[in-house]
Amino acid sequence: MKCKKCGEKAVIKLRAHNISLCAPHFQEFFERRVSEAIKKYSLLSLHDKILVAVSGGKDSLNTWFLLKKLGYKADALHIDLGIDEYSKKSREKTEKFAHKIKGNLKIVELKEEVGFTLPHLAKREGRKACATCGLIKRYLMNREALNGSYSAIATGHNLDDETAVLLSNLLNWKMGYLGRQSPLLPSWHPKLAKKIKPLCEVTERESAAYAILNQIDYIYEDCPFSQGATTIFLKGILNQIEEKSPGTKIRFYREFQQKARSLFEEEKMSLSECPTCGLPTTHPPCAFCRLKSRLLQKEGKSK
Ligand code: AMP
Ligand code: ZN
Ligand code: ZN
């Protein structure tokens, strides 16, 4: 297998693009796809100050690494959810990487924020751990972006993540979610940073290869609470389709963005500021402050 660009030994075959590439040409390919997605979807300008939400996984570490490499101002936020060994390892990998690239990393601990780790909180709340975790992560990302005057929050979602969610939203005709399923969610309140997904057009496999070639040491394990069963199943189905018809995933995603997403766009709900924390919310007080006050009440009752 030879590199299509230079004839040297190829390290990866990309059937969706009908090419094999050597290590340097694959890196060039990956970086070009990310910077083209940034341009095409107008994700960023060089004036943006970016906060990358870094979990310690390959995708978010790649996002941070690459945004800096492309010349953007990018710091990182890691949320330590206190999920036993998994969180310990994720935090270690993130800290080690920040040190390696001399990047600014802020760590926020859930235990400090609400007095409980995620496993305890999920038990107390009797809610699905993933829903609670999603709410907390979104809130803390927004709050830290506001406190640090960041104009953009970047996450590591890749093409496999995005197409699996897209398929799920289509199968269930989730109109509102479909309207919001974009690599760019513009800011719609002065206190909210825009949200961007720079890796939306690279696959999980390409992202893993890029991390390995750049010696980025990441956590392989999935979160033990991961509700992922459905997502993993849908990713498997999409991979089977891709196997038969290479290029389907990227076409499915791009053409949805170009031709269909705007059909599902709903009017934005008006936002007001949470009386407790000041962050914008559709239903004040915000869900995070409501969660906190429920926990305090329970605490009071159990004393
Ligand atoms: P997930 O929902 O776990 O698939 O993660 C999606 C994206 O959310 C990741 O690519 C990260 O950008 C971000 N993220 C997930 N977990 C954390 C965390 N503990 N701290 C900071 N960012 C996170
Ligand atoms: Zn080459
Ligand atoms: Zn609040």
Side-chain angles (χ1 to χ4, degrees):
M1 196 167 76
K2 290 204 167 145
C3 173
K4 189 170 179 176
K5 298 258 167 164
C6 67
E8 291 292 313
K9 188 172 178 286
V11 294
I12 191 164
K13 183 172 184 179
L14 304 170
R15 290 186 64 215
H17 309 283
N18 201 19
I19 44 170
S20 298
L21 295 170
C22 67
H25 280 122
F26 170 70
Q27 303 220 45
E28 190 185 286
F29 163 89
F30 188 93
E31 290 168 10
R32 198 174 50 243
R33 288 192 78 77
V34 174
S35 52
E36 277 175 8
I38 292 174
K39 238 187 251 148
K40 181 170 53 174
Y41 298 116
S42 307
L43 303 188
L44 287 170
S45 82
L46 283 168
H47 302 296
D48 275 305
K49 191 180 160 202
I50 311 158
L51 184 64
V52 186
V54 174
S55 63
K58 62 185 185 318
D59 302 310
S60 50
L61 289 174
N62 278 344
T63 305
W64 191 18
F65 176 78
L66 195 42
L67 287 176
K68 278 174 81 77
K69 186 167 178 185
L70 294 172
Y72 294 99
K73 293 184 277 292
D75 298 333
L77 168 71
H78 176 75
I79 301 166
D80 183 339
L81 298 154
I83 309 173
D84 310 317
E85 279 306 303
Y86 170 77
S87 287
K88 239 188 240 161
K89 212 164 155 188
S90 312
R91 179 173 175 162
E92 266 169 31
K93 300 270 183 204
T94 308
E95 283 175 326
K96 229 174 83 191
F97 183 75
H99 186 73
K100 184 172 150 189
I101 64 163
K102 298 187 181 68
N104 289 323
L105 167 68
K106 167 135 194 206
I107 303 225
V108 176
E109 289 181 16
L110 185 60
K111 184 98 199 297
E112 291 269 302
E113 293 290 332
V114 299
F116 297 97
T117 59
L118 188 80
H120 271 116
L121 207 151
K123 232 186 256 165
R124 272 183 96 91
E125 279 282 284
R127 285 180 64 176
K128 279 221 171 118
C130 287
T132 309
C133 181
L135 180 165
I136 290 166
K137 283 195 291 203
R138 278 192 302 277
Y139 178 85
L140 293 174
M141 285 177 200
N142 285 333
R143 189 190 71 189
E144 291 306 316
L146 176 66
N147 289 346
S149 308
Y150 291 95
S151 54
I153 298 170
T155 53
H157 296 91
N158 61 39
L159 181 65
D160 294 61
D161 298 326
E162 292 303 286
T163 46
V165 175
L166 176 56
L167 183 56
S168 165
N169 287 336
L170 283 171
L171 291 172
N172 296 291
W173 292 113
K174 299 261 185 185
M175 310 299 272
Y177 288 164
L178 285 165
R180 269 177 280 140
Q181 206 187 334
S182 161
L184 167 71
L185 277 184
S187 160
W188 48 302
H189 186 282
K191 285 188 169 182
L192 283 183
K194 64 181 166 186
K195 302 235 168 66
I196 59 162
K197 298 173 184 172
L199 301 198
C200 62
E201 293 202 345
V202 294
T203 64
E204 195 137 351
R205 176 169 167 262
E206 289 159 5
S207 181
Y210 187 77
I212 290 165
L213 288 173
N214 285 286
Q215 282 139 23
I216 294 174
D217 182 20
Y218 62 90
I219 179 162
Y220 294 95
E221 292 91 342
D222 281 328
C223 171
F225 281 93
S226 174
Q227 76 194 139
T230 318
T231 313
I232 291 168
F233 175 70
L234 291 176
K235 280 184 178 174
I237 301 266
L238 285 163
N239 282 336
Q240 281 182 37
I241 301 175
E242 184 75 19
E243 189 65 34
K244 279 235 177 281
S245 173
T248 302
K249 261 192 276 195
I250 187 73
R251 255 192 331 271
F252 179 43
Y253 184 72
R254 276 195 186 147
E255 306 222 343
F256 170 74
Q257 296 301 338
Q258 279 167 14
K259 299 176 181 164
R261 194 185 61 78
S262 60
L263 305 175
F264 299 100
E265 245 169 22
E266 288 176 346
E267 251 181 58
K268 295 207 166 60
M269 282 199 277
S270 68
L271 290 174
S272 49
E273 290 183 11
C274 170
T276 314
C277 70
L279 256 68
T281 174
T282 45
H283 299 97
C286 76
F288 186 80
C289 289
R290 271 183 276 144
L291 172 75
K292 259 173 104 167
S293 74
R294 262 202 315 277
L295 289 169
L296 277 174
Q297 270 174 13
K298 279 192 190 168
E299 186 91 321
K301 275 185 201 149
S302 61
K303 269 183 188 157

